[in-house]
Amino acid sequence: MVVCFVSYTGSHTELGFLVFEPPRNGPTVWEIGVPDRSAAEFFVPEPEPTYINKLYKNLPKDWYRQYGLWERYSKLFPVTDVNFTIGVHDYSKDWYFAQVTRSGAIKFQATNWRINFDLQEVDSSGNYTFRMALAAAFDSKVEIMFNYPYDRQPVYITERVGTDNGIARHGIHGLHWIYAVNVPPNVLRKGPNWFILRQAHAMGPFNGVMYDYLRLEGPPKKAR
């Protein structure tokens, strides 16, 4: 809640209380991260010894300021990508702070991050909502798939987004992007489910996104 004022030359207008209500369609099924426009809560690796800046060596919360962390992803995930299971993994240890490209035999490769979760039941009364907030992006395109293998058509593709260069400039946030994607109940199933987040634009080491917050919401609850 914020008290707002508008001032013009010779005048002063009080607008009263303005209340921001975060968008929400239904109850939370699961969430990853903290909605604070930053990726600081996620896993930031220890930097390469050859690149280390001694100023931040003993400050793990500031490791994102170290040089070359985009290269660390390929070494920590040389073959497979982030595979995160709700209720099992800890996003501060198991969710890399930036979804960047992988360097390998092919110069740069797209990366596919997987989110696994179980549903006790599927509520068919309406659409679920998948909310994806990006803390930063640089020339990236995120493709979202629900219970699909990689060779199937994504249900949602972002435009090419981001020019803030936070990854290359040792930042932890940039311009904020928010997406809400409808998830029809017929693409979900009772028991194991998975979402795929594919960062598909892979032309260089800095193509990538930093996630701020991810949340799956159930269908809207009808008023009684």
Side-chain angles (χ1 to χ4, degrees):
M1 185 177 294
V2 181
V3 180
C4 293
F5 301 91
V6 177
S7 296
Y8 300 96
T9 302
S11 68
H12 183 85
T13 303
E14 182 176 343
L15 301 180
F17 291 99
L18 299 181
V19 180
F20 172 71
E21 295 289 347
R24 175 181 287 277
N25 291 335
T28 298
V29 178
W30 53 257
E31 60 185 349
I32 299 173
V34 178
D36 60 357
R37 298 185 173 224
S38 167
E41 68 269 30
F42 299 124
F43 171 64
V44 179
E46 190 171 357
E48 287 281 4
T50 53
Y51 294 152
I52 198 164
N53 182 332
K54 295 181 180 179
L55 181 64
Y56 304 112
K57 180 178 180 180
N58 298 317
L59 299 173
K61 290 185 177 180
D62 287 324
W63 277 354
Y64 68 86
R65 300 178 186 273
Q66 297 281 359
Y67 180 83
L69 296 182
W70 54 87
E71 295 179 355
R72 294 285 286 138
Y73 182 81
S74 296
K75 294 185 178 181
L76 293 172
F77 298 89
V79 179
T80 60
D81 292 304
V82 168
N83 192 346
F84 189 92
T85 300
I86 301 297
V88 174
H89 292 115
D90 180 344
Y91 60 72
S92 69
K93 300 176 182 178
D94 303 306
W95 188 272
Y96 202 78
F97 80 103
Q99 185 174 5
V100 292
T101 56
R102 180 189 292 105
S103 58
I106 301 174
K107 184 58 177 176
F108 298 104
Q109 302 171 10
T111 50
N112 302 282
W113 287 18
R114 176 166 169 154
I115 304 170
N116 309 290
F117 61 98
D118 285 343
L119 290 177
Q120 297 291 327
E121 299 288 344
V122 176
D123 186 345
S124 59
S125 65
N127 286 336
Y128 288 67
T129 303
F130 176 57
R131 297 195 183 275
M132 179 177 73
L134 305 181
F138 180 74
D139 196 15
S140 299
K141 181 172 67 173
V142 179
E143 300 176 351
I144 303 173
M145 290 161 272
F146 304 140
N147 285 333
Y148 291 170
Y150 299 156
D151 58 351
R152 294 288 295 273
Q153 182 68 23
V155 297
Y156 186 85
I157 304 175
T158 68
E159 68 276 19
R160 289 262 294 276
V161 298
T163 58
D164 53 47
N165 226 5
I167 295 170
R169 299 299 181 186
H170 322 149
I172 202 65
H173 63 83
L175 186 64
H176 200 236
W177 301 80
I178 301 177
Y179 300 89
V181 182
N182 285 332
V183 185
N186 65 332
V187 305
L188 300 174
R189 61 191 69 161
K190 181 179 178 179
N193 292 263
W194 61 89
F195 287 1
I196 302 295
L197 304 177
R198 176 179 173 85
Q199 199 299 99
H201 189 60
M203 299 300 293
F206 305 127
N207 297 125
V209 299
M210 297 182 194
Y211 294 101
D212 167 29
Y213 180 67
L214 303 166
R215 181 172 74 211
L216 179 65
E217 300 172 5
K221 294 298 183 182
K222 297 180 180 179
R224 295 183 178 179

